[in-house]
Amino acid sequence: MSSQLHYLEAHSLTTSTQQEVAKKRTRRTVKHQRAIVGASLDVIKERRSQRPEARSAARAAAVKEGKEKKAAAESAKKAEKAKNAAASARGNAAKVSKQGAKGAAPKVQARTR
């Protein structure tokens, strides 16, 4: 046997010794849905099946409600601020700094001037 033939036999490169290999079949990926942290799969499917108009109307209602809540909180904050301003104007008490309010020692005033 020649050296070339011996090499081909050893490395399975000859056609005489090759066996037919069945073609490998590729596996198709299976698509499936999973729930998200905030919503179960049933809720997601229900929302997906909704009509776009209903979905946009629900979104608009949620945005409106959020804006109303924010406006109410802001008006309450303004009322509180006005109440505090009126109380400080009536009392004319010495202004206390933030550090003073927390309990820090008062600043020592200069006595020479």
Side-chain angles (χ1 to χ4, degrees):
M1 198 192 283
S2 70
S3 60
Q4 183 182 7
L5 193 58
H6 181 66
Y7 175 83
L8 292 172
E9 288 285 335
H11 294 89
S12 304
L13 298 174
T14 59
T15 55
S16 62
T17 57
Q18 267 188 349
Q19 296 161 352
E20 286 192 34
V21 180
K23 188 175 181 182
K24 285 190 178 178
R25 296 174 68 184
T26 57
R27 298 182 76 184
R28 298 193 102 172
T29 56
V30 179
K31 292 185 179 181
H32 61 282
Q33 294 176 332
R34 285 174 29 188
I36 304 173
V37 175
S40 67
L41 190 59
D42 298 330
V43 172
I44 293 171
K45 284 182 179 178
E46 179 188 324
R47 286 191 184 167
R48 188 171 283 176
S49 66
Q50 273 184 346
R51 299 185 73 188
E53 300 88 30
R55 234 182 299 157
S56 61
R59 187 183 298 119
V63 168
K64 188 176 180 182
E65 184 181 326
K67 283 183 181 179
E68 286 173 356
K69 244 186 216 179
K70 189 175 180 184
E74 200 171 306
S75 64
K77 191 174 178 184
K78 278 186 181 179
E80 183 71 26
K81 198 172 186 182
K83 189 173 86 173
N84 289 344
S88 65
R90 258 187 278 127
N92 265 345
K95 288 187 179 179
V96 181
S97 66
K98 281 186 183 177
Q99 289 181 342
K102 290 180 182 176
K107 199 173 193 180
V108 178
Q109 296 294 325
R111 296 183 193 154
T112 57
R113 291 187 193 163

